[in-house]
């Protein structure tokens, strides 16, 4: 039985490591911090697969991009159902990582973002 407890500790440590990587790469685009329950991973002999589920987007970050492009649109809300990454860990220097996004939902509205005016007035 001690081995199973050690396995759980290893899984939690790996999850925390991948949470850190996701947070560093896409954390600014998310409304809330990543919860370990949202993160799943699997390892095989040649690849690692990670999935991050049920993400709310920080639409203010996207509004800055739209305003910079001069578009009179703004994001009202946004969510991603799942981000899946396939990493060929045995072939990292020769093969590509694959990223899949499913369940992308965004709501746009006409006109500049109300928060854009707040930042411009400040």
């Amino acid at each position: 039985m001690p081995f199973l407890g050690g396995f759980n500790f290893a899984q939690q440590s790996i999850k925390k490591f991948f949470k850190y990587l996701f947070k560093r790469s896409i954390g600014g685009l998310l409304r809330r911090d990543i919860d370990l329950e949202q993160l799943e991973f699997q390892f095989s002999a040649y690849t690692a697969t990670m999935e991050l589920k049920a993400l709310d987007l920080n639409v203010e970050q996207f509004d800055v991009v739209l305003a910079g492009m001069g578009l009179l649109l703004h994001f009202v809300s946004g969510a991603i159902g799942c981000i899946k990454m396939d990493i060929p860990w045995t072939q990292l220097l020769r093969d590509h990582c694959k990223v899949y996004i499913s369940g992308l939902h965004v709501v746009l509205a006409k006109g500049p973002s109300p928060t854009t005016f707040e930042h411009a007035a400040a």
Side-chain angles (χ1 to χ4, degrees), residues 66-85:
L66 289 178
M69 294 172 28
L71 296 175
L72 293 176
L73 291 172
H74 69 275
F75 283 86
V76 176
S77 64
I80 296 176
C82 180
I83 297 176
K84 178 182 172 186
M85 294 178 62

Side-chain angles (χ1 to χ4, degrees), residues 2 5 12-13 34 46 48 51-52 54-55 67 69 72 74-75 78 85-86 91-92 95 104 107-108 110 117:
Q12 289 301 316
S13 297
I34 298 169
Y46 303 103
E51 289 188 12
L52 193 55
L55 304 168
M69 294 172 28
L72 293 176
H74 69 275
F75 283 86
M85 294 178 62
D86 288 337
Q91 302 288 325
L92 281 177
D95 204 352
L104 175 63
V107 177
L108 295 166
K110 288 191 313 185
F117 284 127

Side-chain angles (χ1 to χ4, degrees), residues 6-113:
F7 181 71
N8 189 30
F9 175 76
Q11 274 190 321
Q12 289 301 316
S13 297
I14 291 170
K15 273 189 170 186
K16 287 179 183 180
F17 173 72
F18 285 122
K19 175 185 173 179
Y20 170 78
L21 291 178
F22 273 118
K23 190 173 179 178
R24 293 276 299 168
S25 60
I26 64 169
L29 303 176
L30 302 177
R31 181 170 291 194
R32 291 186 295 271
D33 195 17
I34 298 169
D35 184 6
L36 289 179
E37 296 299 318
Q38 294 173 286
L39 182 61
E40 295 179 15
F41 67 92
Q42 295 177 346
F43 289 103
S44 71
Y46 303 103
T47 62
T49 300
M50 276 139 309
E51 289 188 12
L52 193 55
K53 297 180 179 182
L55 304 168
D56 290 326
L57 297 174
N58 181 2
V59 294
E60 293 171 357
Q61 295 291 327
F62 296 99
D63 285 339
V64 171
V65 174
L66 289 178
M69 294 172 28
L71 296 175
L72 293 176
L73 291 172
H74 69 275
F75 283 86
V76 176
S77 64
I80 296 176
C82 180
I83 297 176
K84 178 182 172 186
M85 294 178 62
D86 288 337
I87 301 170
W89 63 272
T90 59
Q91 302 288 325
L92 281 177
L93 299 177
R94 289 179 267 174
D95 204 352
H96 300 284
C97 294
K98 296 176 182 120
V99 179
Y100 304 92
I101 297 175
S102 62
L104 175 63
H105 300 278
V106 293
V107 177
L108 295 166
K110 288 191 313 185
S113 169

